[in-house]
């Protein structure tokens, strides 16, 4: 059976599955004009680029990881067609754990290895049911942890730590003294990020909120601080040009002492990616971070064609390679603020509400939900994931009777 290009109908003749898929893809893309495909590309660009830049900025990386992330997201978005892939702030907590507990190379290894584990064992683990209170509790815990970590960038406190609890202790020792000039730009972003998607619902589908909410404080910063040397706020100076990436320093930053953190990080991301894939209909979700610089997830879109991918890849490459100084003027306060709000907007609030509404085993579900949530705040990501795993594989009735 095959698809006849001339008669526009299905006929009986030998044809490879590959040619059928290519033909169906061409037919699907014919539904959209070149102008529409370009529009899809610009919309995707305004989501992938800001999130990639912000993820790199808060983790202290340069523009080379950003460029690799964007190009890889473009490729897997083309394979998916109905989803755009970009970094998510919900994965900030495990990424901080491996990046600052080891090195950036350890973080790359953990993300890629975790995605490989998800690809290898996702089918076998489908039989294991992950309770909603575990999944929702983990997501809320990741969101709270990301909020604690990113508040350091939002307020410009200068705290240090690999986990949310370490950052909280650092806040206490340093004293909570925010950078008020930077706080202004961060608050503008916070307010815009909350109101823009509700006030401009249709426009938000074409011009995503992360782009708009970073553009306003970025332009304001250039106006108030025209000279980079005398800027009054914290800027993303870590976003160094691609040409300044030092491979020698990147390799020498690793040591044998990082092996335990790398293995723990791989297991953490493997479990998180597998859990995310089980609760998603998208087959690429979970394994999409293989050979990636940052952990990514899927965002739904109308369509993403080859023309759309070219728009994202070409404009991103030109801007990052030839105009790197633009990105270094981005206020870190706005970066942290945008990621915090975006993380809270990604939570499954309906599933969280059902945990409190369902009468069956409601007490145990609430207790498990709270424990899974707080574990990501007061414990490291590895221990928190193990706790969630225990709640997933342990017989529910036995735990209830013991409680």
């Amino acid at each position: 059976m095959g698809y006849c290009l001339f008669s526009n109908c299905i006929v009986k003749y030998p044809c490879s599955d590959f040619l059928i898929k290519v033909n169906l893809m061409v037919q699907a893309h014919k539904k959209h004009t070149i102008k529409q495909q370009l529009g899809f590309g610009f919309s995707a660009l305004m989501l992938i680029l800001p999130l990639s830049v912000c993820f790199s900025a808060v983790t202290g990386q340069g523009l080379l990881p950003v460029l690799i992330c964007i190009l890889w997201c473009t490729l897997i978005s083309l394979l998916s067609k109905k989803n755009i892939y970009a970094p998510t702030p919900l994965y900030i907590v495990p990424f901080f754990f491996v990046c600052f507990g080891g090195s950036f190379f350890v973080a790359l290894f953990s993300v890629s290895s975790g995605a490989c584990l998800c690809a290898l064992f996702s089918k076998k683990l489908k039989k294991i049911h992950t309770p909603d209170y575990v999944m929702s509790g983990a997501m809320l815990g990741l969101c709270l942890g990301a909020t604690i970590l990113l508040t350091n960038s939002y307020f410009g406190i200068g705290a240090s730590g690999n986990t949310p609890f370490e950052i909280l202790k650092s806040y206490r020792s340093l004293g909570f003294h925010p950078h008020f000039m930077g706080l202004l730009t961060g608050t503008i972003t916070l307010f815009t990020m909350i109101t823009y998607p509700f006030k401009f619902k249709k426009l938000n589908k074409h011009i995503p909120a992360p782009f708009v909410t970073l553009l306003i404080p970025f332009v304001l910063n250039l106006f108030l601080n025209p000279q980079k040397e005398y800027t009054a706020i914290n800027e993303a100076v870590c976003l160094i040009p691609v040409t300044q990436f030092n491979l020698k320093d990147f390799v020498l930053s690793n040591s044998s002492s990082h092996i335990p953190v790398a293995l723990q990080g791989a297991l953490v991301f493997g479990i998180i990616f597998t859990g995310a894939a089980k609760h998603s209909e998208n087959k690429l979700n979970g394994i999409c971070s293989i050979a990636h610089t940052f952990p990514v997830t899927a965002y739904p879109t109308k369509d993403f064609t080859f023309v759309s991918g070219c728009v994202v890849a070409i404009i991103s490459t030109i801007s990052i390679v030839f105009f790197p100084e633009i990105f270094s003027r981005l206020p870190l306060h706005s970066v942290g603020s945008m990621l915090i709000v975006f993380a809270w907007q990604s939570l499954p609030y309906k599933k969280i509400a059902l945990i409190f509404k369902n009468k069956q085993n409601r007490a145990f579900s609430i207790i498990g939900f709270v424990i899974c949530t707080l574990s990501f705040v007061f414990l490291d990501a590895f221990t928190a994931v193990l706790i969630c795993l225990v709640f997933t594989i342990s017989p529910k009735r036995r735990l209830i009777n013991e409680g």
Side-chain angles (χ1 to χ4, degrees):
M1 295 290 290
Y3 189 85
C4 180
L5 294 174
F6 302 100
S7 62
N8 202 32
C9 62
I10 297 177
V11 296
K12 292 183 179 180
Y13 68 92
C15 183
S16 67
D17 293 337
F18 175 76
L19 291 177
I20 294 175
K21 291 180 180 179
V22 171
N23 181 48
L24 292 176
M25 185 183 298
V26 172
Q27 294 295 328
H29 289 174
K30 283 183 178 180
K31 297 178 182 178
H32 303 294
T33 64
I34 295 296
K35 183 178 180 181
Q36 289 175 323
Q37 295 180 52
L38 291 173
F40 295 149
F42 280 107
S43 297
L45 174 69
M46 288 184 283
L47 179 67
I48 300 174
L49 180 61
L51 289 175
S52 301
V53 169
C54 291
F55 209 104
S56 186
V58 296
T59 54
Q61 308 308 317
L63 286 175
L64 180 59
V66 174
L67 181 59
I68 296 174
C69 178
I70 294 173
L71 295 178
W72 179 253
C73 286
T74 303
L75 177 60
I76 56 178
S77 298
L78 283 173
L79 297 176
S80 177
K81 292 178 287 185
K82 293 298 182 180
N83 291 282
I84 298 173
Y85 287 84
T88 170
L90 288 177
Y91 293 150
I92 285 285
V93 173
F95 197 84
F96 262 65
F97 172 69
V98 292
C99 187
F100 296 110
S103 65
F104 183 57
F105 177 81
V106 172
L108 299 184
F109 171 82
S110 299
V111 172
S112 298
S113 300
C116 290
L117 291 174
C118 176
L120 291 173
F121 301 104
S122 59
K123 291 184 178 179
K124 296 181 180 180
L125 295 177
K126 279 185 177 180
K127 297 179 180 179
I128 301 177
H129 173 68
T130 304
D132 288 339
Y133 69 86
V134 173
M135 194 66 186
S136 300
M139 292 186 68
L140 180 58
L142 289 170
C143 186
L144 288 173
T147 301
I148 295 171
L149 294 172
L150 294 172
T151 299
N152 189 34
S153 299
Y154 175 23
F155 284 75
I157 301 171
S160 60
N162 305 333
T163 65
F165 189 57
E166 290 179 0
I167 288 289
L168 286 174
K169 291 191 293 184
S170 183
Y171 289 160
R172 182 180 180 184
S173 62
L174 291 174
F176 202 72
H177 302 294
H179 190 296
F180 288 102
M181 186 64 182
L183 186 61
L184 172 64
T185 58
T187 304
I188 292 174
T189 301
L190 184 74
F191 178 78
T192 309
M193 191 70 185
I194 295 173
T195 58
Y196 175 78
F198 294 99
K199 294 292 184 179
F200 305 93
K201 292 183 179 180
K202 292 184 178 180
L203 186 61
N204 184 46
K205 295 179 180 179
H206 302 284
I207 306 178
F211 177 79
V212 175
T213 54
L214 289 178
L215 179 63
I216 296 174
F218 173 74
V219 174
L220 181 63
N221 181 46
L222 294 180
F223 178 76
L224 297 177
N225 303 290
Q227 295 184 357
K228 181 179 180 180
E229 296 77 11
Y230 303 103
T231 182
I233 64 174
N234 300 334
E235 297 179 353
V237 294
C238 64
L239 296 175
I240 59 175
V242 174
T243 54
Q244 293 184 15
F245 175 79
N246 194 318
L247 181 60
K248 183 179 179 181
D249 292 341
F250 176 74
V251 175
L252 294 178
S253 64
N254 305 285
S255 66
S256 57
S257 62
H258 295 160
I259 295 178
V261 178
L263 296 177
Q264 290 177 359
L267 183 60
V268 168
F269 280 110
I271 295 174
I272 290 177
F273 289 155
T274 302
K278 288 172 63 177
H279 285 73
S280 173
E281 296 180 357
N282 186 5
K283 295 181 180 180
L284 294 177
N285 214 11
I287 65 174
C288 54
S289 295
I290 295 177
H292 217 305
T293 52
F294 304 124
V296 300
T297 191
Y299 300 92
T301 184
K302 288 184 177 180
D303 204 350
F304 192 81
T305 67
F306 178 77
V307 175
S308 306
C310 290
V311 171
V312 177
I314 293 173
I315 296 180
S316 298
T317 302
I318 292 175
S319 59
I320 290 174
V321 173
F322 295 102
F323 306 100
E325 64 278 357
I326 296 177
F327 299 95
S328 63
R329 297 304 312 274
L330 185 65
L332 270 178
H333 310 270
S334 298
V335 169
S337 176
M338 187 276 286
L339 291 176
I340 289 174
V341 179
F342 199 75
W344 284 99
Q345 291 175 345
S346 304
L347 287 181
Y349 289 102
K350 292 183 179 180
K351 287 187 176 181
I352 295 176
L354 288 176
I355 296 172
F356 296 88
K357 291 181 180 179
N358 291 337
K359 296 181 179 180
Q360 185 178 7
N361 299 327
R362 180 164 55 184
F364 174 76
S365 298
I366 293 175
I367 292 173
F369 170 78
V370 173
I371 293 175
C372 291
T373 299
L374 296 180
S375 61
F376 283 95
V377 176
F378 295 101
L379 302 173
D380 60 83
F382 178 69
T383 307
V385 165
L386 290 182
I387 291 175
C388 294
L389 189 62
V390 168
F391 274 99
T392 300
I393 63 179
S394 297
K396 187 182 299 184
R397 293 181 179 178
R398 185 186 303 174
L399 288 176
I400 295 173
N401 293 333
E402 290 177 0

